[in-house]
Structures are given as structure tokens and as C-alpha cells.
Amino acid sequence: MKSYENKFIIGVDHGYGNIKTANHCFKTGITAYDTEPLFTKDMLIYNGKYYLIGEGHKEFLRDKVQDNDYYCLTLVAIAMELSDANIYEADVIIAAGLPLAWTSGQKQAFAKYLSQNEDVTFTFRDVDYNVHISDVKIFPQGYSAILPYMPRMKGLSVMADIGNGTMNMMFLENGRPKAESKMYTEKFGVYQCTLAVRAAFSKLTQREIDDFIIDTVLREGTADISKSDLQIITATAQEYVEGIFRRLREHGYDAETMRLYICGGGGCLVKHFYSGSLERVSFIDYRINVRFRPDRPDEKEAADYLSTLGKSRNQFIVDALIHQIRNQDRAPSFSLSDIRKVVREKFQTAAITLPIATENEAELSNDISELDPKAVLDSLSMFD
């Protein structure tokens, strides 16, 4: 969330599997009730109805305005971002994404859909919100992920945003998107791999497999299951990843002359299951994972304390990093090497992984600067 001229810019990625904002990610599941349900932890109350968020699995809809679910999920996303800043009444600019090739055809309808109420009142997690929707900006999915890197992109590049429902491809020249004819969207998201794993597993074992196991293997490359079951999932995932690169090549991707930037959850599958070279492939991932070893008292103490912070632990770590960096007379815009240095100093012997970018990609390990809100809005205007 960014403050701009007494308004708040809130980016919302309306994925088929997850809704993402700058600081939150939750499942794209929603179930409506006419009366208050028994469990109300993540409940939205809007327009006289009760909605449990994260419940169920949202079916794939090519046009997201077919029902009111994505509007309600947007209200939840806004509430989560405002709540972090203890703000409950605000003017908001929504920055929302659509699949690349569908942006031009759907952006007007989606913008109208998200701004259907100029002023909206709702309750989420027992907190009341009063929000004024000042504007809605629509941009291609994946664009915001590569925005910080575009000034440093040279030559020909391809951005592949592999989400749960779709795979989006954008071709760039010196960091600038090429014509709309070089933007593609295919219904080949990670959920297609999940469906393929289910079918293969049932065919080969005459058993069913829980989606939790499938998700674990796709994210981490392994799981606590038998070798034979793991092999079935691995083989299917490898076929899916080969399908990703086959589709990229069909649209003009050449690994020898182009650099490939991958974002979205599908990046995990490429890391774990691609058999080809990743030398010219970069993964855009802003997560910082810190692993603690329970046999080390200092690490255990740190882990125990972070566990007491609940959902605020991310903000605690961010505040600690920024405080440390600024006390060293560093500029507010800090580099990836700064983050690594501070984390290692704070946790010393902790086993740390910082998958913000691929280690072999020097151009992505320089600095990730704070983006000026006006520059962000100006960049989004190119898609108006």
C-alpha cells in the first residue's frame, strides 16, 4: 500500500488460486451465507450477507465479473492492507491486474465492476471499514513484478507469470513491453498440473491423493511420502514444466538470445522439475525465508519469539531490517546485499535462504529501489 495525495494505492492481484496484495496472500475461496455461520474468523459482512473467506475453491472463470465473488475478495484485500496501518476509513485507488492477452478486452468491464460502489461500507474480522473508491487502474498481470527491474533489462526478454489458472507471457525490448500482439495468455496454470497429477495418480495406483500432498511436492520438490508416489507426482510435474517451455517457444521464445524472467507460483515447479539449463532464467520472488535450527539456543529463542507475533511477524522483521540499515547511514532504498548482510548479522549462524532472485543473475542482485507512487500510476496509465 502506498500513500499518494491523501489517497492509498492498493494493488490487488486477483489470482484464480490466491488473492495477493503487497503484504498479504489468501486463498481465492469464498462461501456466502444468509445467516451468520458458526465459524467467523475470516468473515466478511457486506450488503446484508456473510462471506467466509478462503473456504472452498473458486472455479476458473475467464470473465471475473460473472459473479460478485471477486468484488467481495477485493474488499477483503483492501481491509487487510488498511488494517496493517490501523486505518479504517480511507480514499483508495485500486490497482488490479488481468491476464495479459485479456486486459484490453476486459479492462473497462473489470474497472467498472471494481468501482461499482464509489463509497462502500463493510465489516471484516469484526472491524468496520468505510472506503471511498477514487479510481481503478487495470494492468496486465505480472507487469508489476518486473517493474522494478525493467530499467536494467537489456536486449530481448520474456516475462512469464505462471499463476494458478493462467500462464501469461510478455515480450520486451530493452525493458519496454512490445506490441500487444506479443502478449499471450493461456489456460495453463499450476492447477492444470494439479489436475494432471490427480489423474495420473488415480490411473497408476487406483487411489486418490490429497491436494495438500500435491501442493507440497510442487512447492518444495518433495514430501514425506513413499518414493513410488513421489515419482508419479515428479514425472507429471516434469511433463507440465516441459509444456511451459514448449508454449514459450511456440510464441517466439529463444533461450539463446532472450532472457526469461519467471514470476508466480509456477516458478517453484520450474526450479524443481525443469531438466534444461536455467543459466539465462531469473526467478522474481520477494520472499525472505529464515530457517532456525532448534538445537541452537539463540536460533530457538528467536524462532519462539517470532511465533508469538502471529501475522505481525513479517512487519516486525521488515521494521528491524530497515532500522538497522538506516542506523548505518544507508539510504532508504536498500540493496539485496544489504538485506543478506543484516539478516546474517541478526541471526548469525541461522540457515538463511533469500530467494529474491537467482544467485547467478547479477543484474537482479543490485538494488530493489522504492518505487515512487506517481511513477507507478504513470506506468499503469500506458495500459489505459
Side-chain angles (χ1 to χ4, degrees):
M1 183 173 72
K2 296 284 185 181
S3 177
Y4 175 68
E5 295 184 350
N6 297 318
K7 298 179 178 64
F8 294 97
I9 305 171
I10 298 180
V12 185
D13 183 346
H14 297 82
Y16 292 101
N18 295 281
I19 304 294
K20 285 84 69 179
T21 67
N23 300 293
H24 297 275
C25 177
F26 58 96
K27 288 186 176 181
T28 308
I30 182 170
T31 303
Y33 297 87
D34 292 326
T35 58
E36 184 172 329
L38 180 61
F39 300 102
T40 62
K41 179 183 177 183
D42 292 322
M43 184 176 69
L44 168 74
I45 304 175
Y46 166 68
N47 202 23
K49 285 199 171 186
Y50 303 85
Y51 300 88
L52 287 188
I53 306 303
E55 187 174 275
H57 178 82
K58 180 69 177 170
E59 68 175 307
F60 181 90
L61 295 177
R62 181 182 176 90
D63 192 340
K64 296 178 179 178
V65 305
Q66 291 181 21
D67 57 36
N68 217 37
D69 287 355
Y70 276 100
Y71 181 77
C72 292
L73 292 166
T74 303
L75 297 182
V76 172
I78 292 172
M80 288 183 174
E81 287 293 310
L82 293 178
S83 177
D84 287 347
N86 294 318
I87 297 172
Y88 309 102
E89 186 169 347
D91 281 358
V92 168
I93 298 173
I94 299 174
L98 283 172
L100 280 175
W102 304 346
T103 302
S104 61
Q106 297 183 3
K107 63 182 180 181
Q108 291 184 346
F110 198 47
K112 182 179 180 180
Y113 171 81
L114 293 178
S115 57
Q116 58 185 269
N117 297 305
E118 187 174 359
D119 294 286
V120 57
T121 300
F122 59 94
T123 302
F124 180 63
R125 292 176 178 166
D126 294 324
V127 177
D128 296 331
Y129 292 86
N130 294 292
V131 175
H132 177 79
I133 307 299
S134 299
D135 197 2
V136 175
K137 296 285 186 179
I138 305 297
F139 59 94
Q141 286 176 350
Y143 177 76
S144 58
I146 64 169
L147 186 60
Y149 306 112
M150 289 171 67
R152 295 193 295 278
M153 289 181 175
K154 303 300 179 184
L156 299 177
S157 306
V158 182
M159 184 278 296
D161 179 11
I162 309 169
N164 191 67
T166 60
M167 173 182 173
N168 297 284
M169 294 157 277
M170 175 190 290
F171 286 73
L172 304 99
E173 291 181 351
N174 291 328
R176 297 291 297 176
K178 296 183 73 173
E180 187 176 334
S181 60
K182 295 297 290 182
M183 297 181 185
Y184 307 96
T185 295
E186 293 205 16
K187 186 182 175 182
F188 197 65
V190 176
Y191 192 59
Q192 298 301 309
C193 183
T194 300
L195 294 176
V197 170
R198 285 186 200 162
F201 196 87
S202 176
K203 178 181 179 180
L204 295 173
T205 69
Q206 291 76 55
R207 294 156 42 214
E208 292 186 356
I209 185 168
D210 194 286
D211 280 359
F212 173 80
I213 297 296
I214 300 176
D215 292 344
T216 300
V217 175
L218 299 186
R219 286 198 312 269
E220 302 178 12
T222 188
D224 185 15
I225 58 178
S226 69
K227 290 184 179 180
S228 58
D229 286 354
L230 179 61
Q231 177 56 37
I232 294 172
I233 302 175
T234 298
T236 307
Q238 289 171 341
E239 291 179 7
Y240 167 76
V241 171
E242 287 300 325
I244 289 175
F245 282 86
R246 184 170 59 253
R247 283 162 171 76
L248 283 166
R249 290 191 295 268
E250 288 172 352
H251 290 297
Y253 168 63
D254 176 28
E256 300 299 322
T257 60
M258 301 177 183
R259 289 195 175 274
L260 175 62
Y261 296 83
I262 298 179
C263 57
C268 293
L269 280 77
V270 177
K271 290 179 184 178
H272 295 310
F273 305 111
Y274 183 52
S275 59
S277 172
L278 294 176
E279 182 179 355
R280 295 175 61 81
V281 179
S282 301
F283 298 92
I284 300 175
D285 189 343
Y286 294 96
R287 293 174 298 171
I288 298 179
N289 298 319
V290 182
R291 297 188 179 97
F292 300 93
R293 294 175 290 185
D295 59 327
R296 300 297 295 264
D298 56 341
E299 296 179 27
K300 184 177 185 304
E301 182 181 0
D304 289 344
Y305 178 71
L306 287 176
S307 68
T308 67
L309 300 178
K311 293 184 178 180
S312 65
R313 61 180 175 269
N314 287 353
Q315 191 61 49
F316 173 84
I317 293 174
V318 170
D319 291 342
L321 292 174
I322 293 177
H323 176 75
Q324 178 77 3
I325 292 167
R326 290 179 177 172
N327 281 351
Q328 296 175 347
D329 296 325
R330 299 298 302 243
S333 298
F334 50 90
S335 68
L336 178 58
S337 59
D338 286 328
I339 298 177
R340 287 196 179 98
K341 179 175 182 293
V342 174
V343 172
R344 289 189 177 112
E345 287 177 354
K346 285 292 185 184
F347 299 105
Q348 296 186 10
T349 59
I352 297 170
T353 60
L354 295 172
I356 293 182
T358 50
E359 293 290 340
N360 63 349
E361 195 63 51
E363 65 190 281
L364 287 185
S365 60
N366 291 330
D367 65 276
I368 302 173
S369 302
E370 276 294 309
L371 294 174
D372 176 68
K374 185 177 186 302
V376 174
L377 289 177
D378 290 342
S379 69
L380 297 181
S381 297
M382 69 184 291
F383 300 106
D384 286 346

